[in-house]
Amino acid sequence: MTQKPAFPKPRFYLILALLAAAGFGFTAVCGVWNISRPLWGNIALSAVPTAVFLLLWQLSRRGRWRGVPALAATIALFVLFLAGGCFNLLLIGLDAMGQPRDPTLKNSAHAVRIVEKALELNLDGAQVLLAEDTHSGFHGDGETRIILVLDDASSAVESILSQWPAFPAGEPLDTIFLERSGLGEDLFFPQVEQGYYSFRDRYAEQYPDDTHPLLQRFSYNYTAALYDTENSTLYYYELDT
């Protein structure tokens, strides 16, 4: 008598196990890095589907989990685990949004590199007085505030004095620097007697067809810097709204 072929084949359950390991492993990683909930809860949730499908794979190899009923039950389990994983990712995202965020950039060297890359300056010798970044969320809104003392960064000072225009900049940039450089009432740039500035309108670069004047837009996306010659201090600011 001819033996009927296994339906579905054991590798079907092995593939589901590998998919579960990848998908729900991603869930665990998100839980580890994005929120402060206990680590082991997310790892356990991620491991359960993988263990279930590995068990079904072993049963199928022994001829104990085959046929249409087994296939239907397996698909139902997969859908259930998939829905649970998506729901857990949603909870992780909501928890991450609710976590208080310390905006301080812990690594001073990283703060210096941010300014170097954005302004194309050699900031060797610069000292960090302030380094904060509040960018977060799906849209990446927030602001970056970095203050550097350039007493020992002669290369950067030379580049600024030779390449940047003198401040005040004239309207509308004076308004941007002195009245709009901050979310709420907390303005960033100080009043300076003599200085030099840099301004990059990233919104205009991204939306070249938008003809609204700078101060009449619904969104601000720019990078600005102001060098105070009296105190040899560089103020660097990014705003995204």
Side-chain angles (χ1 to χ4, degrees):
M1 183 176 180
T2 304
Q3 185 178 5
K4 294 183 179 179
F7 175 77
K9 293 184 179 299
R11 64 172 175 266
F12 170 76
Y13 302 103
L14 182 60
I15 291 174
L16 291 183
L18 294 175
L19 289 175
F24 290 89
F26 175 73
T27 303
V29 170
C30 288
V32 171
W33 290 108
N34 292 340
I35 63 173
S36 58
R37 277 198 297 170
L39 164 65
W40 297 111
N42 286 287
I43 291 181
L45 178 64
S46 305
V48 167
T50 305
V52 169
F53 291 126
L54 284 176
L55 175 62
L56 298 183
W57 174 55
Q58 290 293 332
L59 292 175
S60 177
R61 292 180 62 192
R62 299 175 183 178
R64 298 180 181 179
W65 192 260
R66 298 177 178 175
V68 174
L71 177 62
T74 302
I75 293 176
L77 281 173
F78 183 80
V79 172
L80 179 64
F81 287 140
L82 181 62
C86 291
F87 182 69
N88 190 53
L89 284 174
L90 176 62
L91 292 180
I92 288 174
L94 293 176
D95 283 353
M97 292 174 61
Q99 293 299 315
R101 187 175 185 275
D102 182 1
T104 304
L105 293 171
K106 303 300 183 183
N107 191 327
S108 296
H110 176 58
V112 172
R113 286 195 298 270
I114 290 175
V115 182
E116 279 187 326
K117 182 177 179 180
L119 302 182
E120 298 182 349
L121 295 174
N122 178 5
L123 291 170
D124 290 344
Q127 298 179 355
V128 179
L129 289 185
L130 174 74
E132 296 180 345
D133 183 9
T134 65
H135 287 86
S136 62
F138 178 76
H139 295 286
D141 292 349
E143 53 186 352
T144 300
R145 300 175 172 225
I146 299 175
I147 301 177
L148 305 175
V149 176
L150 305 186
D151 287 333
D152 299 322
S154 57
S155 176
V157 173
E158 181 180 348
S159 297
I160 290 172
L161 297 181
S162 63
Q163 299 175 17
W164 290 14
F167 191 82
E171 293 297 337
L173 291 185
D174 284 350
T175 298
I176 289 291
F177 274 88
L178 301 178
E179 299 180 22
R180 303 285 181 91
S181 62
L183 298 174
E185 300 297 327
D186 186 16
L187 299 180
F188 176 65
F189 289 110
Q191 297 280 352
V192 299
E193 294 295 331
Q194 184 179 2
Y196 295 83
Y197 75 95
S198 171
F199 184 81
R200 178 185 173 192
D201 188 353
R202 290 183 281 105
Y203 180 93
E205 295 174 2
Q206 186 175 3
Y207 304 102
D209 296 331
D210 190 339
T211 58
H212 286 87
L214 180 60
L215 298 178
Q216 298 179 19
R217 295 173 183 166
F218 297 102
S219 176
Y220 290 99
N221 301 88
Y222 64 80
T223 300
L226 179 62
Y227 176 65
D228 183 357
T229 56
E230 182 178 358
N231 299 313
S232 191
T233 303
L234 176 63
Y235 299 84
Y236 175 85
Y237 183 71
E238 292 181 17
L239 177 64
D240 295 278
T241 64

